Amino acid sequence: MKRYLIFITALLLFNCNGNSQKDKNKSFKITKTDAEWKAQLSDMAYYVLRKEGTERAFSSPLNKNYKKGIYVCAGCDTPLFKSEHKFDSGTGWPSFDREIKGNVAFSSGSDLFYGIEEHCATCGGHLGHKFNDGPKNTTGIRHCINGAALKFIPEK
């Protein structure tokens, strides 16, 4: 019986048809071929947005950017986060306590340690992960976002 429970638990945890897999098949407003994405994006942006990679902590210049403006998807320019919702989480990635509603999609990831996956709702590009350890004086949420997935548009 014990072996049976271990087998069932492992099957549930490592199931290839998890929610993340199903969400990847969703059609988005902006779709391109893999070759088109590769031609448009930098190597790191392609790795993060299209292959769900993660940049090295503290490697993005956007991590310490505190200018006023808006952060948009590096793949399709969809507005994702406002500068007034950015905070220094100390994790090494740009962090926000809230997203621009409707422009960020969420799915449960296949890795239990990485929280809820975040994607651009327009092109499906992988942004990062959402955690419940953000500032308690605001939303309590931390959107941990790869800087390579973002472009910053300064306020005029």
Side-chain angles (χ1 to χ4, degrees):
M1 183 67 171
K2 185 176 179 181
R3 286 184 190 163
Y4 181 76
L5 287 174
I6 291 171
F7 174 75
I8 294 298
T9 302
L11 186 63
L12 290 172
L13 289 174
F14 299 107
N15 185 349
C16 291
N17 290 323
N19 290 335
S20 181
Q21 291 281 343
K22 291 175 187 170
D23 290 344
K24 289 176 190 169
N25 295 326
K26 178 183 174 187
S27 63
F28 294 94
K29 186 176 179 180
I30 294 177
T31 58
K32 297 181 182 187
T33 66
D34 197 52
E36 289 172 322
W37 285 119
K38 276 185 178 180
Q40 173 190 334
L41 301 168
S42 70
D43 289 344
M44 182 54 74
Y46 174 79
Y47 171 67
V48 169
L49 287 166
R50 307 320 308 172
K51 297 300 178 185
E52 297 189 355
T54 300
E55 67 193 5
R56 214 171 13 92
F58 301 100
S59 65
S60 172
L62 294 179
N63 186 42
K64 293 293 184 180
N65 177 39
Y66 292 103
K67 298 174 186 166
K68 290 187 177 193
I70 195 152
Y71 293 84
V72 302
C73 176
C76 69
D77 295 331
T78 296
L80 301 170
F81 302 97
K82 295 178 181 179
S83 61
E84 62 259 29
H85 300 135
K86 188 171 189 293
F87 68 97
D88 186 355
S89 66
T91 61
W93 290 278
S95 297
F96 305 86
D97 70 355
R98 68 197 77 179
E99 79 282 6
I100 295 175
K101 297 289 184 201
N103 292 354
V104 176
F106 302 96
S107 63
S108 58
S110 57
D111 190 327
L112 298 175
F113 298 107
Y114 284 113
I116 296 171
E117 290 183 19
E118 297 194 38
H119 298 269
C120 173
T122 303
C123 72
H126 172 75
L127 303 172
H129 297 88
K130 175 180 161 184
F131 299 93
N132 292 322
D133 60 1
K136 299 298 178 210
N137 62 335
T138 62
T139 63
I141 300 296
R142 174 174 56 98
H143 298 269
C144 186
I145 307 299
N146 288 282
L150 303 171
K151 287 193 287 190
F152 177 71
I153 310 296
E155 191 176 89
K156 295 179 182 178

